[in-house]
Amino acid sequence: MKKIALFLCAFLLAANVHAYENNSNYTGNFNVFAGKKSLNENDWSPAEGQVEVGILFNIKQQNWPVSLTADLLHSWDKNEYLNNVTFEGNTTEFDLGISKHWELEGSITPYIGGGLAIISAEAILTIDSTEYSVDDSALGGWIKGGVFVTLDDDGTNLGFEVRYSNAEIEMNGYDLDAGGYHAGIFIGYHW
């Protein structure tokens, strides 16, 4: 799933660069995200507060009312107990959908978006040197909102985003939510 998501992000980026070079009617953003993902504590403790990084991407023709959006996010957390037991949780999200951007005066752009989430999650328990892991993937949904400022004529973005995602996975017979609340900052490029 991770390879498919990376391939699709690379394809969308390449298609966007090609479209931009051949037609100035396209606009969009490519940003690198860093922040935190908070999963359900009852499902993921003690790895419910995860560090998150990702790529945020959108493109539209200037006469379209909304942008096409594709985001790839990965989060993880690891905790150790008694020097010989560790628990690690991680998730990978590939979010597809649409977003609406409002370009205000002063290069400030608030936006909202939502769509389909494909979320994979893994839990790893290590006792001494023996590792036990379970994983699953599921379809779900996501919504987000944020704001960014385009800092200069070269198109450098600096912004903040919050997001909520959900997807019910099954691990060892238990239903868990692999989504959660996300918040972070990003830097990137607007054209």
Side-chain angles (χ1 to χ4, degrees):
M1 205 279 298
K2 291 178 187 176
K3 291 179 183 178
I4 292 170
L6 287 172
F7 171 77
L8 287 173
C9 282
F11 174 77
L12 289 170
L13 179 61
N16 184 56
V17 169
H18 175 74
Y20 177 70
E21 289 176 351
N22 293 302
N23 186 343
S24 62
N25 288 329
Y26 283 88
T27 185
N29 299 281
F30 181 83
N31 298 301
V32 177
F33 174 89
K36 185 124 177 151
K37 179 177 181 180
S38 298
L39 292 100
N40 185 317
E41 182 178 1
N42 294 331
D43 292 344
W44 289 94
S45 181
E48 74 275 10
Q50 301 187 356
V51 174
E52 186 169 53
V53 296
I55 297 169
L56 313 176
F57 174 77
N58 65 72
I59 182 173
K60 76 177 200 78
Q61 280 193 339
Q62 291 183 2
N63 61 347
W64 292 355
V66 296
S67 298
L68 302 177
T69 300
D71 301 331
L72 179 62
L73 303 162
H74 182 71
S75 66
W76 68 94
D77 190 17
K78 184 176 184 178
N79 288 283
E80 185 174 339
Y81 305 94
L82 306 172
N83 297 325
N84 65 340
V85 177
T86 60
F87 178 75
E88 178 180 356
N90 64 73
T91 69
T92 301
E93 294 193 26
F94 184 53
D95 296 340
L96 294 170
I98 59 172
S99 58
K100 174 66 176 172
H101 296 72
W102 294 272
E103 294 183 15
L104 306 178
E105 289 189 35
S107 300
I108 297 173
T109 306
Y111 62 92
I112 58 171
L116 176 69
I118 305 167
I119 305 179
S120 294
E122 180 180 33
I124 303 167
L125 179 66
T126 305
I127 302 173
D128 292 321
S129 298
T130 306
E131 187 176 283
Y132 306 92
S133 69
V134 291
D135 61 79
D136 195 17
S137 298
L139 294 176
W142 63 272
I143 57 172
K144 70 176 180 177
V147 63
F148 64 88
V149 176
T150 304
L151 299 174
D152 53 36
D153 291 337
D154 293 334
T156 302
N157 288 335
L158 183 60
F160 175 79
E161 179 176 289
V162 293
R163 172 188 306 248
Y164 173 75
S165 61
N166 72 336
E168 189 175 286
I169 61 169
E170 184 180 318
M171 289 187 175
N172 282 346
Y174 294 98
D175 292 333
L176 309 175
D177 188 357
Y181 295 94
H182 314 243
I185 59 172
F186 60 84
I187 188 168
Y189 179 70
H190 172 74
W191 61 93

